[in-house]
């Protein structure tokens, strides 16, 4: 009976993150030292600053996994003795599903020019989509306080830490990179450093959150592995079975 040990998944995920970041750095060094006038061009598919690349694919897949896990946890907890948090889990599931789509087709980027022109934004807000994103994140943070308080402290801390790491990249380093992109252009060293940090923090934050969800499923709901078989019983294996 094939099964995926939930404890081993994070090791594989962090290994993939390390490889993606390493390849992204190698791509930037290649472009800066050799240029793009070679048969390999600019190695766009492993760049950390392009759409439709390896990092974007990995992020999207992790987001889909997070959406699936949060949906499963929400369904489990809806029928548990403490069902208060199930709507929060399902909202997270829909949110990460949307984020996975956005990661591939860049919905948020269509707002940049209209917002920049409407409010004459520059500097840290040169990538203007971060403005509504900051408002949305602040609002969700307040709404989810009750959710976090109800969680076991270990997981509340893990969720906050992973979310903070992700937002530090997606919004924090995005804003820092925007200052260089708007004033010095996309070839500025500062921009290159910050977009590498941005993507690294996003990947680490997502991977940490997925790992925390797997640990939550194991610790709180006593699932040790996800099994795959043709029998009708296929699904989860509880610890000790």
């Amino acid at each position: 009976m094939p099964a995926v040990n939930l404890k081993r998944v994070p090791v594989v995920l962090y290994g993939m993150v390390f490889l993606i970041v390493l390849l992204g750095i190698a791509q930037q060094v290649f472009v800066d030292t050799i240029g793009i006038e070679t048969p390999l061009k600019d190695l766009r598919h492993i760049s950390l600053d392009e759409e439709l690349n390896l990092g974007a694919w990995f992020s999207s897949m992790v987001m889909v996994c997070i959406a699936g896990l949060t949906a499963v946890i929400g369904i489990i907890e809806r029928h548990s003795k403490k069902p208060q948090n199930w709507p929060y889990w399902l909202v997270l599931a829909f949110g990460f599903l949307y984020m996975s789509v956005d990661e591939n087709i860049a919905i948020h980027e269509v707002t940049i020019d209209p917002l920049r022109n409407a409010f004459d934004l520059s500097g840290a807000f040169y990538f203007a989509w971060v403005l509504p994103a900051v408002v949305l994140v602040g609002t969700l943070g307040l709404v989810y306080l009750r959710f976090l308080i109800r969680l076991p402290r270990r997981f509340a801390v893990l969720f906050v830490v992973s979310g903070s790491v992700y937002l530090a990249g997606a919004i924090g380093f995005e804003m820092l990179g925007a200052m260089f992109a708007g004033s010095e252009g996309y070839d500025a060293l500062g921009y290159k450093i910050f977009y590498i940090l941005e993507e690294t923090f996003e990947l680490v934050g997502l991977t940490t959150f997925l790992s925390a969800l797997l640990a939550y499923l194991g610790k709180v709901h006593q699932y040790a592995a996800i099994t795959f078989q043709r029998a009708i019983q296929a699904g989860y294996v509880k610890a000790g079975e």
Side-chain angles (χ1 to χ4, degrees), residues 135-185:
V135 175
L136 178 62
V137 167
T139 302
L140 287 175
L142 293 174
V143 171
Y144 268 76
L145 278 177
R146 183 175 294 182
F147 167 81
L148 291 168
I149 290 171
R150 290 174 181 154
L151 292 175
R153 181 173 296 181
R154 171 193 171 189
F155 294 104
V157 171
L158 280 173
F159 292 168
V160 170
V161 169
S162 60
S164 299
V165 171
Y166 177 79
L167 292 173
I171 296 179
F173 286 118
E174 175 89 342
M175 294 173 70
L176 290 172
M179 292 189 292
F180 287 92
S183 60
E184 300 179 33

Side-chain angles (χ1 to χ4, degrees), residues 13 22 59 62 76 90 93 96 100 102 119 132 135 181 196 201 213:
L13 293 175
L22 189 63
S59 293
V62 172
I76 292 172
L90 292 187
F96 275 97
S100 72
D102 184 61
F119 297 100
V135 175
I196 290 173
F201 272 60
L213 288 174

Side-chain angles (χ1 to χ4, degrees), residues 30-188:
F30 177 88
V31 170
D32 287 346
T33 57
I34 299 177
I36 62 174
E37 301 302 324
T38 71
L40 297 175
K41 301 296 183 181
D42 59 354
L43 298 174
R44 178 183 65 80
H45 296 96
I46 60 172
S47 169
L48 294 174
D49 192 38
E50 298 284 349
E51 304 298 332
L52 304 176
N53 59 26
L54 182 62
W57 169 81
F58 180 80
S59 293
S60 181
M61 291 299 100
V62 172
M63 289 172 183
V64 168
C65 291
I66 290 173
L69 277 177
T70 49
V72 167
I73 293 171
I75 293 169
I76 292 172
E77 296 200 355
R78 184 180 183 183
H79 301 285
S80 69
K81 294 180 180 179
K82 296 180 179 180
Q84 299 95 329
N85 272 347
W86 77 265
Y88 292 92
W89 288 113
L90 292 187
V91 170
L92 282 175
F94 284 112
F96 275 97
L97 185 60
Y98 169 81
M99 288 170 63
S100 72
V101 174
D102 184 61
E103 188 69 23
N104 279 289
I105 62 178
I107 300 171
H108 67 280
E109 292 196 358
V110 303
T111 66
I112 293 177
D113 287 338
L115 286 173
R116 184 189 294 156
N117 295 332
F119 297 100
D120 192 25
L121 299 174
S122 60
F125 292 102
Y126 182 72
F127 299 139
W129 71 268
V130 300
L131 190 58
V134 168
V135 175
L136 178 62
V137 167
T139 302
L140 287 175
L142 293 174
V143 171
Y144 268 76
L145 278 177
R146 183 175 294 182
F147 167 81
L148 291 168
I149 290 171
R150 290 174 181 154
L151 292 175
R153 181 173 296 181
R154 171 193 171 189
F155 294 104
V157 171
L158 280 173
F159 292 168
V160 170
V161 169
S162 60
S164 299
V165 171
Y166 177 79
L167 292 173
I171 296 179
F173 286 118
E174 175 89 342
M175 294 173 70
L176 290 172
M179 292 189 292
F180 287 92
S183 60
E184 300 179 33
Y186 294 96
D187 289 327

